[in-house]
């Protein structure tokens, strides 16, 4: 195919430009003037024409109908001029900006200047263009005309050269997609019902006016001024978060708060339309608060008015039809289209039983005379791809037996143990929210929130008072509570958590998907190393140095993928891209804090077993002590032991390389805990907390996951180490009177305490009392009873390196020397069973060589402060999985579009993710629908 490369330059000014107007408004505006056009026909030299008349004539001499018309940002600008001003209709529209988007949106950028500089194709100097601001063609001097000729011609040459660099990344089908989306703008097929839109606009404005009047009346504002001033005063009060907060406080209602999206240490008012706190205000029992909240939502939501107005404007400029502006690979990672301007892709759905003003947006799109609108979609495409990608056999068998099988209903049937035919509407809705959210790693609290917002389902925790017999059982042999308290101080516990049950059931039934998240976690390492590995069991997606490559050769790109240590938390996170495109990518972590009974949690009163954390306790979230909503029992689940702590295999552990699942047998990271003892409240210091040996904590400095020396201390594993001067093996066995501040601080005050620290006293806790007040006495007895066996200079290595004090036993050897004495000690049975010595090979009890799964009672602590976490923390969001699924689902619908064009010659009037919309002649509508399906 011949390629005609071209580039327009037109009049622009401070107020008349694409910064202030939509492309169609700019091109069809009264001030529009075509200054020049550079045209390169095939490989012929580029010519530059001035004035619309000469440009029109030049195109008439070319075979436009049999050629590709190529320009940079053709689909977003130049094609409007070609189609609406000059009437050009090429065989194919080409756009180098659209082609660059999936490749360079996150690194180089999409401007022609940046791209040609990146590929060494020339230099784009915009000074000539800037000098034309506010000038019509008649205002140009001869020199300015020559400068424009050079500038305009260079743009066309650079665009053609850029196309040559980019086109190897594209199939003919992908180039056709760019053409199809461009034609949705240049050849609009929908006829607009402007009368319906004008009526809807009037109703929307009237509703807002009435809402303001109702609010003013309820607030008791006297009409001492004009009605317009009253309404403006109410509008200003409702629109301002600060003034709206004052209104709430005046009514005795607390302002709902949330964690700032830009600063997790900051809390801000939760007054956005999707914030649960704001949604609750709209249902307040106080009619003033409820009305004010609804009125605030109305005046803050200008989107509907704006959209209706944009539809009307576009229709008036396009002869009564509606261009559909979609951006090719607008979601540059997955390749999906995105909407522009009035975004036809996310219009509110129509519910026939609940008509609303926004229904006019969809209803106003009508078929041209003699045509019908034909619509088909790929039902649950992302759900089907996700389940098929990870080979969920139950789902695949279901679809094999019935292509139209409803997986939402199937899951609900399993949930409620009923036949699929008996599943109610609400039960299916719950299953739908679960399938669409949990399939991509949503945690319990996210699922609970989304179920309420999107599904109207209340999955709140169910609390009940405890019977006295239960209380007696729970507090037996302990002065700690295992339950929480209600507002009146009565003991209560969680009877059940419906959201948790759904999450647990879903992950159990679809365990293949959960395992897929872990596979994607490993993919990041392979991408960074440039290794090619299959991601899914089919081999559809595999890693490459750019990111993830799909079956068609398209790539999900993660430029400059790297691990970054987060300031404050010390966590290693994956990031990619730079500048304003910088983004964090998650890999398959699961938002779970499933810790076995007995796990120590840091509270303001010391280290407390998780099942005995009181609701009144403050727990440490890694940065500060925060309140929470109580401990929840999460059934009996298989657990593995990491560093002496038993947890579910999917529980996340902080390591020097970031968070890793317990199933990966991670080596825990240990933070610096020096000098934190002084942070404890004075009333909590107890002089009787003593140890036979003073212990201190030392941590090496690590950067990028590597160890290095700090000062004169050799870097090593950050564990508790015995001070040489206090480890004399022949010391008095009952020397119990040395201060144990270091160990107390381990339990009590940590700046950032991950899983490893909670486990440091696992055996201490098991053997005797259940609070940190008893730890000193227990260690005192352990060390005293073994005093004769602790040799002078025990464990000292080169340069007097001090030996380790393992979390679960006395030091008994190291990798280079483990004598018979240690083996004999083991034989006498005086040490925990997790440790063994086989000849000279030590099995380190700090990290067991094999984490054996065993069923245990597991617990979680819910709603821990604004960060929703406590000292052992997992974080959710397997975005890679979501990217892969959307990536493949996108190809599926795009392939269907191409195949339909090959069979029928028709292009879609609109495309909405998994939905295709056509305007088809009435005579073939039924047959076309069958073909499309």
């Amino acid at each position: 195919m011949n390629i005609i490369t071209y580039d327009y330059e037109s009049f622009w000014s401070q107020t008349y430009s694409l910064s202030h107007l939509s492309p169609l408004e700019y091109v069809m505006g009264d001030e529009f003037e075509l200054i020049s056009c550079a045209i390169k026909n095939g490989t012929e030299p580029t010519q530059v024409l001035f004035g619309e008349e000469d440009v029109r004539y030049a195109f008439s001499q070319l075979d436009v109908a049999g050629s590709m018309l190529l320009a940079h940002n053709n689909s977003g600008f130049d094609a409007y001029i070609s189609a609406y001003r000059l009437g050009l209709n090429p065989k194919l529209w080409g756009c180098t900006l659209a082609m660059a988007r999936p490749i360079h949106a996150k690194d180089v950028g999409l401007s022609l200047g940046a791209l040609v500089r990146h590929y060494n194709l020339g230099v784009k100097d915009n000074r000539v263009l800037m000098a034309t601001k506010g000038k019509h063609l008649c205002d140009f001097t001869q020199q300015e005309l020559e400068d424009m000729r050079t500038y305009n011609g260079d743009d066309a040459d650079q665009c053609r050269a850029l196309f040559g660099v980019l086109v190897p990344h594209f199939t003919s089908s992908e180039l056709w997609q760019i053409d199809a989306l461009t034609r949705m703008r240049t050849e609009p097929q929908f006829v607009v019902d402007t009368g319906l839109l004008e009526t809807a606009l009037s109703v929307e404005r009237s509703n807002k006016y009435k809402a303001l009047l109702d609010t003013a009346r309820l607030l008791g504002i006297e009409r001492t001024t004009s009605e317009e001033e009253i309404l403006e005063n109410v509008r200003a009060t409702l629109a301002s978060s600060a003034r709206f907060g004052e209104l709430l406080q005046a009514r005795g209602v607390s302002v709902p708060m949330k964690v700032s999206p830009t600063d997790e240490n900051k809390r801000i008012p939760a007054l956005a339309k999707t914030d649960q706190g704001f949604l609750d205000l709209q249902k307040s029992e106080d009619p003033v608060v409820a009305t004010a909240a609804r009125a605030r939502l109305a005046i803050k939501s200008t989107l509907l008015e704006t959209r209706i107005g944009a539809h009307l404007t576009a229709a008036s400029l396009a002869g009564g039809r509606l261009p559909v502006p979609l951006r090719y690979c607008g979601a540059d990672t997955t390749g999906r289209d995105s909407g522009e301007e009035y975004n036809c892709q996310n219009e509110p759905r129509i519910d026939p039983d609940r008509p609303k003003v926004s229904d006019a947006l969809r209803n106003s799109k009508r078929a041209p005379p003699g045509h019908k609108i034909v619509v088909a979609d790929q039902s649950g495409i992302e759900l089907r791809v996700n389940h098929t990608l990870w080979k969920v056999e139950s789902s695949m068998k279901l679809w094999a037996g019935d292509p139209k099988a409803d997986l939402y209903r199937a899951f609900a049937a399993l949930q409620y143990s009923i036949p699929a035919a008996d599943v109610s509407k609400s039960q299916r809705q719950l299953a739908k929210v679960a399938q669409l959210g949990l399939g991509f790693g949503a945690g319990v609290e996210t699922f609970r929130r989304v179920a309420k917002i999107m599904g109207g389902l209340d999955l709140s925790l169910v609390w009940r008072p405890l019977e006295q017999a239960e209380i007696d059982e729970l507090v037996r042999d302990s002065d700690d509570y295992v339950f929480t308290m209600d507002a009146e101080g009565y003991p209560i516990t969680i009877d059940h958590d419906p959201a948790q049950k759904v999450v647990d059931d879903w992950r159990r039934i679809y365990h293949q998907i959960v395992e897929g998240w872990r596979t994607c976690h490993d993919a990041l390492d392979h991408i960074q190393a440039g290794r090619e590995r299959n991601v899914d069991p089919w081999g559809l997606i595999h890693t490459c140095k750019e990111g993830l490559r799909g079956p068609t050769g398209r790539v999900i790109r993660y430029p400059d993928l790297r691990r970054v240590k987060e300031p404050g938390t010390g966590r290693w996170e994956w990031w990619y891209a730079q500048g304003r495109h910088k983004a964090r990518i998650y890999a398959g972590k699961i938002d779970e804090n499933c810790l076995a009974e007995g796990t120590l949690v840091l509270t303001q009163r010391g280290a407390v077993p998780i099942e005995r954390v009181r609701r009144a306790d403050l727990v440490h979230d890694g940065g500060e002590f925060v309140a929470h909503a109580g401990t929840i029992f999460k059934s009996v689940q298989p657990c593995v032991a990491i560093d002496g702590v038993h947890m579910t295999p999917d529980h996340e552990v902080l390591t020097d390389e970031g968070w890793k699942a317990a199933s990966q047998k991670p080596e825990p990271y240990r933070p610096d805990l020096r000098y934190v003892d002084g942070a404890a409240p004075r009333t909590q210091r107890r002089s009787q907390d003593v140890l036979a040996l003073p212990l201190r904590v030392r941590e090496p400095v690590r950067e990028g996951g590597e160890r290095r020396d700090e000062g004169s201390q050799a870097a090593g594993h950050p564990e508790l180490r015995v001070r040489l001067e206090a480890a004399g093996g022949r010391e008095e066995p009952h020397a119990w009177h040395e201060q144990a501040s270091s160990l107390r601080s381990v339990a009590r005050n940590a700046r950032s305490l991950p899983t490893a620290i909670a486990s440091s006293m696992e055996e201490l806790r098991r053997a005797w009392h259940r609070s940190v007040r008893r730890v000193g006495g227990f260690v005192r007895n352990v060390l005293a009873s073994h005093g004769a066996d602790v040799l002078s200079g025990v464990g000292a290595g080169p340069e007097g390196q001090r030996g380790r004090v393992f979390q679960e036993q006395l030091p008994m050897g190291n990798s280079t020397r483990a004598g018979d004495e240690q083996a004999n000690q083991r034989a006498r049975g005086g040490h925990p069973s997790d440790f063994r010595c086989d000849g000279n090979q030590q099995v380190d009890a700090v990290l067991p060589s094999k984490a054996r799964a065993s069923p245990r009672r597991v617990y979680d602590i819910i709603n821990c402060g604004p960060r929703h976490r406590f000292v052992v923390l997992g974080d959710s969001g397997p975005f890679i999985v979501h990217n892969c699924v959307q990536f493949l689902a996108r190809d599926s619908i795009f392939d269907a579009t191409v195949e339909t064009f090959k069979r029928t010659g028709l292009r879609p009037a609109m495309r909405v993710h998994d939905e295709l919309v056509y305007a088809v002649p009435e005579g073939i509508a039924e047959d076309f629908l069958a073909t499309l399906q």
Side-chain angles (χ1 to χ4, degrees):
M1 185 187 303
N2 182 51
I3 298 176
I4 300 174
T5 310
Y6 72 110
D7 179 68
Y8 293 121
E9 300 299 338
S10 54
F11 170 80
W12 68 287
S13 66
Q14 183 68 34
T15 57
Y16 189 79
S17 70
L18 292 175
S19 299
H20 298 84
L21 303 168
S22 71
L24 187 58
E25 288 176 297
Y26 176 85
V27 169
M28 302 303 290
D30 294 336
E31 295 185 63
F32 179 83
E33 180 185 20
L34 185 58
I35 301 294
S36 64
C37 178
I39 302 176
K40 184 179 185 65
N41 184 30
T43 59
E44 295 178 5
T46 301
Q47 58 175 326
V48 179
L49 297 309
F50 290 91
E52 185 171 320
E53 184 176 344
D54 286 352
V55 173
R56 189 185 300 274
Y57 177 77
F59 275 120
S60 71
Q61 302 304 302
L62 303 174
D63 180 21
V64 173
S67 303
M68 170 193 281
L69 271 185
L70 173 69
H72 196 70
N73 197 22
N74 202 14
S75 56
F77 174 64
D78 298 79
Y80 282 98
I81 299 176
S82 297
Y84 288 98
R85 303 290 304 200
L86 304 181
L88 302 180
N89 187 10
K91 185 174 184 179
L92 199 71
W93 295 100
C95 179
T96 50
L97 187 151
M99 296 170 68
R101 188 175 289 117
I103 303 174
H104 291 302
K106 289 289 195 298
D107 51 14
V108 176
L110 301 179
S111 70
L112 181 61
L115 290 165
V116 299
R117 183 169 58 252
H118 174 74
Y119 287 112
N120 295 316
L121 301 176
V123 178
K124 181 176 172 61
D125 187 352
N126 282 333
R127 287 180 295 181
V128 172
L129 179 63
M130 299 305 296
T132 66
K133 180 179 179 179
K135 289 188 176 183
H136 292 278
L137 181 58
C138 62
D139 300 323
F140 278 52
T141 65
Q142 188 61 40
Q143 183 60 50
E144 288 174 333
L145 289 174
E146 291 303 314
D147 291 343
M148 179 59 75
R149 186 185 305 277
T150 301
Y151 172 80
N152 205 175
D154 287 347
D155 274 5
D157 290 337
Q158 291 169 358
C159 178
R160 182 64 182 83
L162 179 61
F163 178 82
V165 173
L166 296 177
V167 75
H169 296 280
F170 287 81
T171 62
S172 58
S173 293
E174 286 298 321
L175 294 177
W176 183 89
Q177 301 294 342
I178 296 175
D179 171 82
L181 293 182
T182 305
R183 291 184 190 275
M184 291 181 193
R185 301 173 186 243
T186 61
E187 301 172 24
Q189 300 183 47
F190 293 121
V191 175
V192 180
D193 186 341
T194 55
L196 177 62
L197 288 178
E198 288 170 349
T199 299
L201 184 60
S202 176
V203 171
E204 177 68 4
R205 289 172 176 169
S206 176
N207 288 343
K208 290 187 177 183
Y209 182 84
K210 183 177 183 299
L212 290 175
L213 284 180
D214 289 345
T215 305
R217 176 178 54 79
L218 285 174
L219 292 176
I221 299 177
E222 298 181 2
R223 299 199 176 192
T224 55
T225 57
S226 66
E227 185 174 273
E228 290 74 17
E229 289 177 313
I230 293 175
L231 294 179
E232 184 55 38
N233 181 36
V234 175
R235 186 191 303 274
T237 298
L238 298 179
S240 166
S241 294
R243 294 180 63 177
F244 184 70
E246 293 173 358
L247 186 154
L248 295 178
Q249 291 173 348
R251 302 291 303 181
V253 176
S254 299
V255 179
M257 304 296 287
K258 64 181 178 181
V259 177
S260 169
T262 59
D263 183 356
E264 66 175 11
N265 295 315
K266 181 180 179 181
R267 291 174 63 78
I268 61 175
L271 298 176
K273 64 180 181 180
T274 57
D275 289 336
Q276 185 58 51
F278 183 62
L279 295 174
D280 293 340
L281 290 177
Q282 298 171 47
K283 301 175 183 178
S284 172
E285 296 179 357
D286 185 333
V288 176
V289 171
T291 301
R294 289 192 292 267
R296 173 183 165 84
L297 179 63
I299 66 170
K300 294 284 285 186
S301 300
T302 60
L303 180 60
L304 181 57
E305 282 187 81
T306 303
R307 277 187 172 181
I308 293 175
H311 276 62
L312 290 170
T313 298
S316 67
L317 295 173
R321 299 204 176 194
L322 183 72
V324 178
L326 297 182
R327 181 181 295 171
Y328 173 80
C329 282
D332 54 83
T333 303
T334 61
R336 280 185 155 192
D337 307 328
S338 66
E340 290 187 293
E341 301 173 40
Y342 35 86
N343 195 355
C344 296
Q345 286 199 316
N346 67 346
E347 293 174 348
R349 293 191 176 275
I350 296 175
D351 183 350
D353 298 328
R354 301 177 60 187
K356 51 189 180 297
V357 179
S358 61
D359 292 350
L361 291 174
R362 289 176 180 260
N363 289 332
S364 66
K365 298 177 180 65
R366 304 296 178 87
H371 289 67
K372 285 184 178 292
I373 298 296
V374 177
V375 183
D377 70 1
Q378 295 183 323
S379 177
I381 182 61
E382 288 188 23
L383 178 66
R384 289 170 181 258
V385 168
N386 199 22
H387 283 243
T388 303
L389 183 64
W390 305 112
K391 288 190 175 181
V392 179
E393 294 182 5
S394 60
S395 301
M396 294 172 67
K397 288 180 180 179
L398 185 69
W399 288 319
D402 178 8
K404 296 183 179 181
D406 187 343
L407 192 58
Y408 305 144
R409 188 175 297 277
F411 177 56
L414 293 173
Q415 272 286 104
Y416 298 100
S417 300
I418 58 176
D422 294 341
V423 172
S424 67
K425 183 177 180 180
S426 62
Q427 289 171 336
R428 183 183 181 276
Q429 180 67 17
L430 175 62
K432 180 177 181 179
V433 176
Q435 289 284 26
L436 297 180
L438 301 183
F440 301 106
V444 175
E445 292 308 317
T446 298
F447 172 61
R448 196 193 316 277
R449 182 173 64 255
V450 172
K452 188 170 186 178
I453 295 175
M454 304 301 293
L457 304 168
D458 187 1
L459 301 180
S460 301
L461 297 172
V462 178
W463 301 83
R464 66 178 177 85
L466 288 174
E467 300 294 336
Q468 186 59 48
E470 294 176 292
I471 297 174
D472 293 342
E473 175 67 22
L474 294 174
V475 301
R476 183 177 300 151
D477 301 323
S478 172
D479 59 352
D480 291 322
Y481 296 108
V482 302
F483 45 80
T484 187
M485 299 284 192
D486 62 16
E488 287 74 34
Y490 291 100
I492 56 175
T493 189
I494 296 175
D495 188 35
H496 69 277
D497 183 353
Q500 182 67 58
K501 183 180 186 305
V502 175
V503 172
D504 290 343
D505 287 347
W506 189 95
R507 291 179 178 173
R508 173 178 52 81
I509 293 170
Y510 306 115
H511 60 88
Q512 297 96 331
I513 296 177
V514 177
E515 290 301 319
W517 299 342
R518 294 183 175 83
T519 303
C520 285
H521 178 80
D522 296 335
L524 288 175
D525 291 299
H526 297 318
I527 294 170
Q528 188 183 48
R531 294 187 292 261
E532 293 198 4
R533 298 287 190 277
N534 285 340
V535 175
D536 61 281
W538 303 94
L540 290 174
I541 304 290
H542 60 272
T543 61
C544 60
K545 64 180 180 179
E546 293 88 5
L548 299 170
R549 189 179 301 277
T552 65
R554 287 196 312 112
V555 176
I556 303 176
R557 298 177 186 273
Y558 302 118
D560 194 19
L561 182 66
R562 61 203 181 276
R563 282 194 184 101
V564 177
K565 193 170 186 179
E566 296 297 297
T569 66
R571 296 180 59 181
W572 289 90
E573 300 285 1
W574 286 99
W575 290 81
Y576 67 98
Q578 296 288 348
R580 64 187 180 90
H581 299 299
K582 179 181 176 183
R584 184 164 55 184
I585 183 72
Y586 293 94
K589 300 177 183 178
I590 308 169
D591 188 11
E592 285 298 311
N593 286 319
C594 296
L595 300 172
E597 182 177 27
T599 299
L600 295 177
V601 173
L602 184 66
T603 73
Q604 91 286 1
R605 60 188 176 96
V608 177
I610 187 170
E611 75 277 12
R612 299 183 183 277
V613 173
R614 306 169 183 171
R615 196 176 188 186
D617 285 334
L618 297 179
V619 298
H620 208 280
D621 70 352
E624 60 183 336
F625 285 101
V626 298
H628 59 92
T631 301
I632 175 175
F633 169 60
K634 300 177 73 172
S635 75
V636 176
Q637 299 185 35
C639 293
V640 296
I642 299 297
D643 202 12
V645 173
H646 292 268
M647 61 191 73
T648 52
D650 54 10
H651 182 75
E652 297 292 321
V653 178
L654 181 62
T655 72
D656 286 315
E657 297 179 347
W659 293 86
K660 294 187 177 181
S663 60
Q664 296 177 286
K665 296 184 290 186
E667 180 179 358
Y669 162 78
R670 292 165 176 78
D672 184 0
L673 302 177
R674 292 172 293 183
Y675 313 122
V676 295
D677 190 55
R682 184 173 301 274
T683 56
Q684 293 181 358
R685 302 182 183 180
R686 298 174 181 268
S687 60
Q688 64 268 31
D689 292 347
V690 295
L691 300 177
L693 297 176
L695 303 177
R696 61 179 300 200
V697 174
R698 186 184 65 196
E699 175 202 12
V701 176
R702 298 192 179 200
E703 294 180 351
E706 301 295 332
R707 301 178 183 177
R708 66 179 179 85
D709 291 345
E710 181 182 19
S712 61
Q713 293 182 339
H717 199 287
E719 297 170 342
L720 297 175
R721 294 185 179 273
V722 180
R723 293 176 57 185
L724 294 178
E725 65 271 23
R730 301 302 174 189
E731 290 179 352
E732 182 67 21
H734 296 290
W736 292 351
H737 305 294
E738 296 188 38
Q739 186 64 32
S741 60
S742 296
L743 188 55
R744 288 176 58 228
S745 63
V746 170
R748 181 171 293 158
N749 297 299
R751 285 182 296 140
S752 179
L753 189 63
T755 304
I757 303 307
S759 68
S760 298
M761 290 169 283
E762 178 74 358
E763 293 302 322
L764 310 186
R765 171 194 52 70
R766 292 176 183 168
W768 197 32
H769 293 293
R770 301 282 178 159
S771 72
V772 77
R773 297 193 295 273
R774 314 295 192 249
V775 170
F778 178 69
V779 176
R780 174 178 65 200
N781 281 285
V782 170
L783 297 184
S785 63
H786 292 80
D789 299 319
V790 182
L791 302 179
S792 178
V794 59
E799 304 300 326
Q801 177 66 44
R802 290 169 287 181
R804 300 175 178 178
V805 176
F806 294 110
Q807 279 87 335
E808 299 181 341
Q809 67 284 311
L810 293 176
M812 293 176 11
N814 53 47
S815 59
T816 58
R817 50 175 246 194
D820 293 339
E821 185 68 24
Q822 284 83 352
N824 291 336
Q825 290 286 355
R826 172 68 182 89
R828 288 199 294 268
H831 304 287
S833 58
D834 288 343
F835 184 91
R836 70 179 186 273
C837 285
D838 301 319
N840 289 331
Q841 179 63 42
Q842 173 188 331
V843 181
D844 192 340
V846 173
L847 185 62
S849 61
K850 182 177 181 181
R852 296 179 176 86
S854 59
R856 291 173 179 264
R857 294 168 61 90
V858 294
Y859 294 81
D860 187 12
I861 299 177
I862 57 177
N863 296 336
C864 293
R867 299 181 185 89
H868 298 287
R869 67 191 191 192
F870 55 105
V871 291
V872 281
L873 171 67
D875 203 1
S876 66
F879 290 171
I880 292 182
V881 179
H882 204 188
N883 286 350
C884 290
V885 169
Q886 287 196 347
F887 182 79
L888 294 172
R890 176 267 194 196
D891 281 355
S892 178
I893 196 71
F894 275 40
D895 287 348
T897 312
V898 175
E899 185 64 23
T900 301
F901 176 72
K902 289 179 179 178
R903 296 189 185 189
T904 66
L906 295 176
R907 295 181 177 86
M910 185 169 68
R911 184 163 60 200
V912 185
H913 301 314
D914 59 354
E915 180 180 82
L916 296 176
V917 184
Y918 291 81
V920 181
E922 290 182 353
I924 65 169
E926 294 295 334
D927 290 340
F928 178 83
L929 177 59
T931 299
L932 185 60
Q933 290 175 332

